[in-house]
Amino acid sequence: MDKPLKTPPPYPIASVDHALRAATILQLEGGASVSHIAERLGVARSTAHRILAMLVYRDFAVQGDDRVYRAGPVLELATHSQSLVSRLRTAALPHLQRVVDLLDETANLIVRTGDTVRFIASVECGQALRVGSREGMVFPAHRTTAGLLLLAELTDEELDEVYAAERYAERPADRPDPDRLRTELRRLRRNGFAVNRGRSERGLAAVGVAVRDRDGTALAGLSVSLPSVRYDPHRLRSLVATLDAAARSLEQDLAAESP
């Protein structure tokens, strides 16, 4: 079942939010100094130091001899190495910002792990009514644009393994209908893009395309998210063209960085 659009809680606890964001940075980007965390969170160095010290105490972070903090044993990225995620995120941010500048909607970069996807980068637009950053959040893959794009890369055998019935024995309602999913993925392969209207969160629409390596393997999904009230199907071709251009530029940057 779809979830309501995620909005900040009415009484946010800043210290908790800062700690969670710091943990996400370490997990997604591989490491950071006190000054880097302070700059990213917009807090004083002393505050950043206290946040990191608590993360170390709870094993969410470790500090090396180089005084750089990295993700601790509690935080792991499963099959995605930190170096790959960090490289993707760093390379993608300018392109996400360009998408936001052109469309004035929130842009995201997402990777898949098993039957879930994780938002590894988000750039918010400046509109008052907007989709907020989902950076660090995890969603079911079959309920997101990027997740569908990345699932479409799998063979039938691989898809069967991801959604094997025994893996959902304790949560059968979370398992998508295999036949309907296959039909949707076939259509998506023909189109080359994915559209999500209220599937992951009520009141949200999203359009996405794949980001590939030089061999054509999909590494991530690049998407734009907007409130459903602003989504116009007549703009779909323009949205996809903008995303495609950004994805191709990102792929060129990634290829140039590869040895």
Side-chain angles (χ1 to χ4, degrees), residues 15-197:
S15 59
V16 174
D17 186 50
H18 288 154
L20 293 173
R21 289 177 60 197
T24 299
I25 291 168
L26 297 181
Q27 186 184 45
L28 297 182
E29 300 177 38
S33 64
V34 172
S35 59
H36 180 73
I37 293 294
E39 180 181 356
R40 290 286 295 278
L41 300 182
V43 299
R45 279 177 54 91
S46 58
T47 301
H49 186 271
R50 289 195 296 271
I51 291 169
L52 290 166
M54 183 55 68
L55 293 180
V56 169
Y57 175 68
R58 292 297 181 183
D59 290 327
F60 282 80
V62 293
Q63 185 182 26
D65 294 337
D66 56 0
R67 304 182 69 81
V68 171
Y69 290 85
R70 295 177 177 83
V74 173
L75 302 176
E76 295 181 355
L77 270 181
T79 57
H80 285 280
S81 70
Q82 292 177 340
S83 59
L84 173 59
V85 170
S86 179
R87 187 165 65 91
L88 276 170
R89 184 184 187 280
T90 300
L93 282 174
H95 301 285
L96 295 180
Q97 184 61 62
R98 176 63 174 164
V99 169
V100 174
D101 291 342
L102 291 172
L103 301 177
D104 201 16
E105 302 291 357
T106 298
N108 313 284
L109 190 74
I110 304 102
V111 296
R112 181 185 68 87
T113 300
D115 63 353
T116 64
V117 291
R118 181 186 292 269
F119 285 65
I120 64 170
S122 286
V123 176
E124 291 187 20
C125 68
Q127 302 205 57
L129 177 62
R130 65 180 181 273
V131 176
S133 171
R134 299 296 188 258
E135 188 166 305
M137 292 184 180
V138 175
F139 289 83
H142 69 285
R143 291 190 174 277
T144 67
T145 53
L148 290 169
L149 288 162
L150 298 172
L151 289 172
E153 298 292 306
L154 302 180
T155 64
D156 287 346
E157 292 74 17
E158 290 170 333
L159 196 65
D160 287 341
E161 183 178 349
V162 170
Y163 291 107
E166 56 268 24
R167 297 185 58 187
Y168 290 82
E170 297 182 2
R171 49 189 182 102
D174 293 340
R175 182 174 181 249
D177 179 271
D179 293 333
R180 289 180 60 185
L181 182 59
R182 290 182 196 283
T183 299
E184 184 169 18
L185 295 180
R186 284 195 293 268
R187 183 173 64 251
L188 189 152
R189 293 185 192 105
R190 292 194 299 269
N191 293 340
F193 62 87
V195 179
N196 170 5
R197 299 185 67 179

